[in-house]
Amino acid sequence: AQKITQTQPGMFVQEKEAVTLDCTYDTSDQSYGLFWYKQPSSGEMIFLIYQGSYDEQNATEGRYSLNFQKARKSANLVISASQLGDSAMYFCAMREGQDSGGSNYKLTFGKGTLLTVNP
Amino acid sequence: EPEVTQTPSHQVTQMGQEVILRCVPISNHLYFYWYRQILGQKVEFLVSFYNNEISEKSEIFDDQFSVERPDGSNFTLKIRSTKLEDSAMYFCASSFRAVVNSPLHFGNGTRLTVT
C-alpha cells in the first residue's frame, strides 16, 4: 500500500481564492511527522509546513495551514488568498518513527499535485 | 538562512561514464540523504548517511551507486557506469536531527542527463 496518497494530479484556483490539496497517509507508527513541500518549475524543493502526530492543533504558517484529521489519516494543505507565485507542484511527505524500521527517519513522498493559479 | 548547495546544477554525460554529484549540506546538520526524481514522477529515496556510513538504502541504490563524505563539508553521490534510466533530478538533503518533527532541507538539485 502507498504510504502517502495525493489523489489530485492537478488543481486550478483563481487568484485570491483558497484551495485545499488533499493528502492521506498510511502508517502503523504512533509517532510520525507530516510535511508539505513546494516545487516550482525551477525545480527546488521548498519546505512549507509540518504537522506532528501528537500535535493537537492544526499547523499554520502564514497563508499555509494544515487540516489534520488523525482518525481519517489525512493532512490536507490549505492555501489561503492564492497568488500567481503559488503555481507549483506540491508534495505531501511523511517521516515515520522507529516502529517502521530503517533508520534516520527518511521522508516518503506522495506523487504530488500540480497547482495552477489563474489570474 | 543556511542552505544546502548542490553542484553542478546540470550535468550531461554519456552512457557508461562515471559521474559524481556534489552537495554541501547545512553545516551543523548530521544526517544526509540523496533522493531522485525522474521527470514528472515522484521523489524517490535513494540513501541516508550518518556518522560516515550508510544508514539505509533503497532498492534503487544498487552497486552502481556510492556515497562519500570525503571531508567535513562535502557529501557526494557517485554513479559508476551511468545508464539512460539514471537521467533524473538528484536532490541532496540534510537534517539536524533524525526525529519525526525535523524537516529535511533540500538543495536545488542536479539535473543529470545521460545520452
Side-chain angles (χ1 to χ4, degrees), chain A residues 13-18 79-84 86 117-118:
Chain A
V13 65
Q14 285 298 123
E15 197 177 3
K16 297 179 187 169
E17 292 185 353
I79 305 174
S80 62
S82 297
Q83 302 171 356
L84 295 178
D86 294 334
V117 181
N118 293 320

Side-chain angles (χ1 to χ4, degrees), chain A residues 37 50 95 104 106-107, chain B residues 33 35 55-56 101-102 104:
Chain A
Y37 286 81
Y50 157 80
R95 208 172 186 188
N104 290 355
K106 65 180 185 288
L107 267 181
Chain B
Y33 308 79
Y35 283 77
S55 308
E56 187 179 355
N101 64 352
S102 184
L104 269 61

